């Protein structure tokens, strides 16, 4: 799945988490065994673990030597040494071979202490006959085998249990304090159990810490990649995905991925480790009841499969519904003043309620489906517990297993079932996270339509003076335009360095599109746009935008201060440079009138200043960048005539060597331009000075006369 690939961001942490999960699983799977030992050995067996006890009376030892084969008798005599008290004591070598000794002495020890229960075997008579040479070891072995065969199929298990009981009786006969042995065993096993629990707790804490950090790093990395990708997008890609969807992908979708990444590291990897370990432990405890586990797992998968068949289709559409809610909310908040102006609050509320209700219904459906999971799982778990007790009870009655083994089996069964339950629950969450991952990958895989060349010609650009900007037979159409209708057709002009060129035309004539082509927000469909004779496609985007200071049609300010907005191009910009840019943009007066001056706060979007002040601050930002050309995309529309004229004069006086490109609606703003380009329906219908166009271009003359009188137009500066 896509989401698992994201864990490659933190390979070292994943490896460490897996190691810690193995440790945690080992400790978790060890605790039931300790519980079983405490019940079986510590309580039922009084702490006696082996049939080959530490101390045996001389009478019992001689009887054991009689009943075991020659080779086993040699091993037995080498494992014990007779003490001064006449009893036989286990040696260090014997302690090392205790498992083998248990197999040798188990049934003979039972025969010694429970001879009365073996009617076909008389121990005292056999002892006398053996001492008199009338009975051989083989004959004794045959008699013991015959007595053992009478125990039936459960003979071995009963012998093991009776051997421990006989060992306890033998220890008591040898004068051993069995109560002390029992308490020592309980304390030793309890301490080991506590130590194992502490180790598991430490591993669990470490896994939780590392998993949380790893998931957070995955989220941070993805957000960083997504943000860098979105920043590199041209306007075409922004429109393709939509701002609302990009916001959802960068927040909700990545949050889903981060949450599931945490669950993958904390639970999903742990579940199979625990399940495999539990199956191994169950098999070693009692393979006869393993069919119960198989039955439980099958029931689990049936329940999970049914629930997933209902829930998964809804999970796949949930993210799109979140997108819709985000889109409606963003539109309503952005256009709140328009909504109020037209008294459409009720309509917008209903529109939002519709999108919100669709999401709510989908979430309610999935949540209701998921509510069946836990009761179903609990029913299966409790049914399995009852079945284990029922079957295990009969096994205990037959002597096949002990009580502690059944307790351990129940615990291991619950561990296995819970592991598969975790896998099932997460598998239902994964489809939604996978949808989120697909949406993130879609953005990350998208190639921007505007890319830097492999070897940009940035060094060929002059460093000083104005920039020459030219359009060479440029035709442009938007990729998603109906029928591929061009927005601009065969536009051809040159703006010499240090001159002012203005663009004017009716609404929709293509003026702002010209500005976007100059800034290389889009690339020309045909023809070329050059800066200082170099095609902008051969320059890096950074070089283009360092060369041209841009003031957008809709002035936008960032949250911060006046100074931080003006110095946006270079945060280390000096105070004098900021103030000079503010002076030229006619911003200094109203800024210095504020109590905080240039440290006055600016809210997001500049909503706490007027439209004219916002435009002037945006102009100051472009001036402060030090660009060789300034592009004003209808950036004087909110200024009064007096401020407009003053600003244009300041630009001419202070930035005379810079190239100015002005997109405007007002003729008064561009009358003094060295060159005016007139656009109409995407075509260039006029080019020249104000006076030349008044006499040669009917479209320009109509626009001009609609705004100013004949006298003002022919008199020069109308301001």
């Amino acid at each position: 799945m896509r989401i698992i690939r994201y864990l490659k961001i933190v390979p070292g942490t994943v490896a460490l988490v897996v190691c810690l999960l193995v440790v945690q699983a080992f400790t978790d799977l060890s605790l039931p065994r300790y519980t079983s030992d405490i019940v079986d050995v510590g309580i039922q067996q009084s702490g006696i673990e082996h049939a080959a006890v530490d101390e045996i009376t001389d009478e019992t030892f001689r009887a054991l030597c009689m009943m075991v084969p020659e080779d086993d008798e040699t091993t037995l005599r080498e494992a014990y040494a007779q003490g001064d008290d006449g009893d036989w004591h286990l040696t260090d070598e014997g302690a090392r071979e205790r498992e083998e000794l248990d197999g040798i002495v188990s049934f003979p020890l039972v025969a010694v202490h429970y001879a009365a229960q073996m009617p076909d075997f008389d121990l005292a008579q056999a002892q006398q006959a053996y001492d008199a040479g009338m009975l051989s070891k083989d004959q004794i072995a045959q008699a013991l085998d015959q007595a053992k065969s009478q125990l039936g199929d459960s003979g071995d298990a009963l012998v093991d249990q009776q051997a421990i009981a006989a060992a306890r009786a033998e220890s008591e006969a040898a004068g051993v304090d069995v109560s002390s042995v029992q308490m020592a065993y309980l304390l030793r096993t309890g301490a080991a159990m506590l130590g194992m629990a502490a180790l598991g707790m430490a591993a669990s804490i470490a896994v939780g810490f590392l998993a949380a950090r790893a998931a957070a790093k995955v989220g941070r990395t993805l957000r960083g990649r997504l943000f860098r990708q979105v920043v590199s997008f041209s306007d075409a890609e922004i429109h393709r995905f939509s701002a609302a969807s990009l916001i959802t992908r960068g927040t909700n979708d990545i949050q889903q991925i981060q949450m599931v990444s945490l669950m993958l590291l904390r639970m999903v990897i742990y579940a199979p480790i625990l399940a495999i370990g539990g199956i191994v432990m169950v098999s070693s405890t009692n393979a006869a009841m393993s069919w119960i586990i198989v039955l439980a797992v099958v029931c689990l998968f049936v329940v999970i499969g049914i629930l997933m068949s209902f829930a998964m289709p809804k999970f796949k559409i949930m993210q799109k519904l979140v997108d819709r809610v985000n889109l409606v909310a963003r539109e309503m908040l952005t256009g709140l003043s328009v909504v109020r102006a037209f008294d459409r609050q009720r309509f917008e509320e209903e529109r939002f309620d519709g999108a919100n209700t669709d999401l709510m219904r989908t979430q309610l459906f999935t949540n209701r489906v998921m509510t069946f999971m836990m009761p179903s799982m609990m029913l299966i778990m409790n049914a399995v517990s009852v079945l284990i007790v029922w079957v295990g009870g009969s096994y205990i009655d037959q002597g096949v297993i002990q009580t502690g083994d059944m307790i351990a089996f129940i615990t291991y069964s619950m561990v296995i079932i819970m592991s598969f339950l975790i896998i099932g629950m997460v598998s239902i969450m994964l489809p939604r996270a996978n949808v989120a991952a697909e949406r993130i990958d879609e953005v990350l895989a998208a190639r921007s339509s505007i890319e830097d060349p492999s070897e940009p010609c940035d060094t060929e650009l002059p460093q000083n003076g104005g920039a020459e900007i030219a359009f060479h037979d440029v035709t442009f159409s938007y990729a998603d335009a109906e029928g591929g209708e061009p927005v601009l057709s065969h536009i051809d002009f040159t703006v010499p360095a240090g001159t002012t060129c203005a663009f004017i035309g009716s609404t929709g004539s293509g003026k702002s599109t010209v500005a976007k082509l100059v800034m290389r927000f889009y690339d020309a469909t045909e023809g070329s746009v050059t800066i200082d004779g170099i095609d902008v496609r051969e320059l890096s985007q950074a070089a283009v935008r360092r060369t041209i200071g841009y003031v957008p049609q809709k002035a936008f300010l960032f949250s911060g201060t006046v100074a931080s907005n003006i110095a946006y191009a270079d945060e280390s910009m000096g105070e004098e440079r900021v103030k000079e840019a503010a002076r030229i943009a006619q911003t200094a007066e109203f800024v210095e009138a504020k109590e905080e001056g240039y440290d006055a706060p600016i809210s997001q979007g500049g909503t706490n200043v007027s439209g004219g002040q916002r435009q002037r601050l945006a102009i100051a930002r472009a001036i402060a960048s030090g660009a060789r050309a300034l592009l004003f995309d209808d950036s004087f529309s909110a200024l009064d005539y007096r401020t407009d004229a003053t600003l244009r004069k300041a630009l001419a006086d202070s930035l005379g060597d810079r190239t100015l490109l002005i997109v405007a609606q007002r003729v008064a703003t561009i009358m003094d331009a060295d060159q005016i380009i007139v656009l109409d329906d995407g075509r260039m219908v006029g080019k020249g000075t104000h006076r030349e166009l008044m006499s040669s271009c009917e479209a320009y003359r109509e626009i001009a006369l609609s705004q100013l009188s004949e006298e003002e137009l022919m008199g020069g500066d109308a301001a």
Side-chain angles (χ1 to χ4, degrees), residues 288-304:
M289 291 197 293
S290 298
W291 63 271
I292 299 175
I293 306 299
V294 175
L295 178 62
V297 171
V298 170
C299 292
L300 279 174
F301 276 109
V302 169
V303 172
I304 291 171

Side-chain angles (χ1 to χ4, degrees), residues 2-15 210 213-226 228 254 257-258 261 265 437 440-441 444:
R2 293 173 184 267
I3 193 169
I4 296 176
R5 297 206 316 268
Y6 293 142
L7 294 179
K8 293 180 181 180
I9 295 172
V10 285
T13 304
V14 172
L210 291 172
R213 285 182 61 89
K217 186 174 181 181
V218 168
R220 182 192 68 184
T221 303
L222 287 179
R223 276 189 292 270
R225 288 181 183 175
L226 192 71
R228 286 192 294 272
I254 290 180
I257 293 170
Q258 183 173 329
S261 296
L265 291 173
I440 297 298
D441 284 349
L444 295 178

Side-chain angles (χ1 to χ4, degrees), residues 330 556-560 565 601-609 614:
R330 187 171 181 271
F556 182 86
L557 301 179
F558 297 90
S559 58
N565 271 278
I602 297 293
S603 62
Q604 183 182 2
T607 55
N608 62 336
V609 294
R614 192 158 54 244

Side-chain angles (χ1 to χ4, degrees), residues 53 78 175 219 256 303 420 438 468-469 495 498 573 612 640 668 696:
V53 292
E78 290 175 351
Q256 289 288 332
V303 172
F420 282 100
E438 289 176 358
E468 180 189 272
I469 298 170
V495 182
M573 188 180 296
D640 60 80
S696 63

Side-chain angles (χ1 to χ4, degrees), residues 81-339:
Q82 193 171 25
D84 296 336
D85 56 359
D87 292 339
W88 293 79
H89 300 269
L90 190 68
T91 63
D92 292 339
E93 182 179 353
R96 289 192 293 269
E97 299 176 355
R98 207 157 194 170
E99 296 293 335
E100 182 182 357
L101 289 174
D102 284 342
I104 293 173
V105 305
S106 288
F107 192 66
L109 191 62
V110 171
V112 170
H113 284 273
Y114 299 101
Q117 300 178 17
M118 299 179 182
D120 296 335
F121 182 77
D122 189 330
L123 178 62
Q125 187 178 7
Q127 185 79 51
Q128 292 175 0
Y130 179 77
D131 291 340
M134 300 173 60
L135 191 66
S136 68
K137 283 182 176 289
D138 290 340
Q139 292 172 318
I140 294 174
Q142 290 177 2
L144 288 173
D145 289 342
Q146 184 177 359
K148 188 175 182 180
S149 66
Q150 296 176 357
L151 298 175
D153 296 336
S154 58
D156 291 337
L158 286 174
V159 167
D160 290 340
Q161 294 181 33
Q162 290 182 348
I164 294 298
R168 180 175 58 198
E170 182 61 33
S171 297
E172 291 174 344
V176 176
D177 186 354
V178 176
S179 297
S180 298
V181 173
Q182 182 180 32
M183 185 56 65
Y185 179 85
L186 289 173
L187 291 174
R188 184 172 65 254
T189 306
M193 194 174 184
L194 287 173
M196 196 64 70
L199 177 60
M201 181 182 69
S204 179
I205 292 172
V207 167
F209 175 76
L210 291 172
R213 285 182 61 89
K217 186 174 181 181
V218 168
R220 182 192 68 184
T221 303
L222 287 179
R223 276 189 292 270
R225 288 181 183 175
L226 192 71
F227 184 79
R228 286 192 294 272
Q229 181 77 342
V230 171
V231 168
S232 72
F233 280 166
S234 69
D235 288 4
E237 284 71 46
I238 297 295
H239 293 151
R240 170 189 159 194
F241 289 106
S242 85
S245 180
L246 289 172
I247 291 171
T248 304
R249 294 173 200 235
T251 51
N252 183 274
D253 287 2
I254 290 180
Q255 187 177 7
Q256 289 288 332
I257 293 170
Q258 183 173 329
M259 180 180 68
V260 174
S261 296
L262 176 61
M263 295 182 68
L264 283 171
L265 291 173
R266 190 67 189 88
M267 299 169 64
V268 178
I269 296 177
Y270 184 56
I273 294 174
L274 201 61
I276 293 170
I279 291 170
V280 171
M281 297 300 290
V282 161
S283 301
S284 64
T285 300
N286 192 331
M289 291 197 293
S290 298
W291 63 271
I292 299 175
I293 306 299
V294 175
L295 178 62
V297 171
V298 170
C299 292
L300 279 174
F301 276 109
V302 169
V303 172
I304 291 171
I306 293 173
L307 294 178
M308 286 181 67
S309 66
F310 284 102
M312 281 185 65
K314 297 295 183 180
F315 278 126
K316 291 181 179 180
I317 65 173
M318 195 175 293
Q319 294 304 108
K320 294 181 180 178
L321 294 176
V322 172
D323 265 358
R324 176 64 183 167
V325 170
N326 194 1
L327 173 65
V328 174
R330 187 171 181 271
E331 282 186 346
M332 184 176 64
L333 293 173
T334 304
L336 191 58
S337 58
V338 178
V339 173

Side-chain angles (χ1 to χ4, degrees), residues 416-711:
I416 294 170
I417 293 172
M418 285 302 297
S419 299
F420 282 100
L421 174 60
I422 290 170
I423 294 173
M425 290 179 65
V426 175
S427 67
I428 291 178
M429 297 182 64
L430 283 177
R432 185 178 178 188
N434 196 49
V435 170
E438 289 176 358
R439 285 157 54 86
I440 297 298
D441 284 349
E442 185 182 6
V443 177
L444 295 178
R447 298 293 298 272
S448 176
S449 56
I450 307 298
E451 292 185 340
D452 288 341
S454 56
E455 296 182 4
C457 303
D458 297 0
T459 56
E460 299 180 20
L461 286 175
Q463 300 301 312
N464 300 309
E468 180 189 272
I469 298 170
F471 274 48
H472 303 282
D473 195 24
V474 170
T475 296
F476 173 76
S477 59
Y478 290 104
D480 56 353
E482 276 189 39
E485 187 70 23
V487 179
L488 297 175
S489 298
H490 305 290
I491 305 299
D492 196 290
F493 64 85
T494 299
V495 182
T499 64
T500 299
C501 180
F503 302 88
I504 195 169
S506 59
T507 301
S509 59
K511 303 185 298 298
S512 293
T513 304
V514 169
K516 291 176 181 178
L517 291 174
V518 171
M519 293 300 299
R520 210 191 167 206
F521 293 153
Y522 293 95
D523 276 338
T525 306
E526 298 177 14
S528 64
V529 179
T530 62
I531 297 177
D532 294 320
I534 304 172
D535 194 322
V536 291
R537 288 170 290 199
E538 297 177 7
L539 298 169
S540 68
Q541 296 175 69
V544 172
R545 288 150 199 176
R546 280 196 307 267
T547 303
I548 304 172
Y550 179 57
V551 184
Q553 191 172 20
K554 182 180 179 181
F556 182 86
L557 301 179
F558 297 90
S559 58
T561 64
V562 170
S564 68
N565 271 278
I566 295 176
Y568 186 70
D570 181 7
E571 59 184 13
S572 62
M573 188 180 296
E575 183 180 352
E576 290 302 319
R577 185 172 163 188
V578 170
K579 290 183 176 180
E580 176 64 13
R583 182 191 65 79
I584 297 171
Q586 307 304 300
T587 303
E589 183 178 350
F590 82 83
V591 170
E592 292 171 359
K594 294 179 177 289
E595 184 178 347
E596 303 95 332
Y598 287 90
D599 293 325
I602 297 293
S603 62
Q604 183 182 2
T607 55
N608 62 336
V609 294
S610 69
Q613 292 171 339
R614 192 158 54 244
Q615 276 195 342
R616 281 179 280 169
L617 285 171
I619 293 170
R621 179 172 60 199
I623 294 171
S625 68
R628 296 168 52 224
L630 296 176
L631 173 56
F632 302 98
D633 186 2
D634 201 12
S635 306
F636 302 92
S637 59
L639 304 182
D640 60 80
Y641 283 102
R642 180 175 176 277
T643 304
D644 185 348
T646 306
L647 174 56
R648 285 186 285 109
K649 186 175 186 305
L651 288 172
D653 293 342
S654 303
L655 305 174
D657 61 337
R658 307 234 192 137
T659 303
L660 302 181
L661 291 88
I662 303 174
V663 175
Q665 296 281 2
R666 294 197 310 221
V667 173
T669 302
I670 63 171
M671 287 174 60
D672 294 331
D674 299 307
Q675 181 180 206
I676 300 173
I677 307 295
V678 184
L679 298 174
D680 184 29
D681 197 22
R683 296 183 177 276
M684 193 170 70
V685 296
K687 179 172 68 173
T689 63
H690 167 70
R691 291 186 178 276
E692 291 171 348
L693 291 172
M694 283 296 293
S695 60
S696 63
C697 181
E698 186 61 30
Y700 180 79
R701 181 177 175 82
E702 287 179 3
I703 295 172
L705 289 173
S706 69
Q707 298 179 14
L708 299 172
S709 67
E710 185 93 30
E711 293 75 13

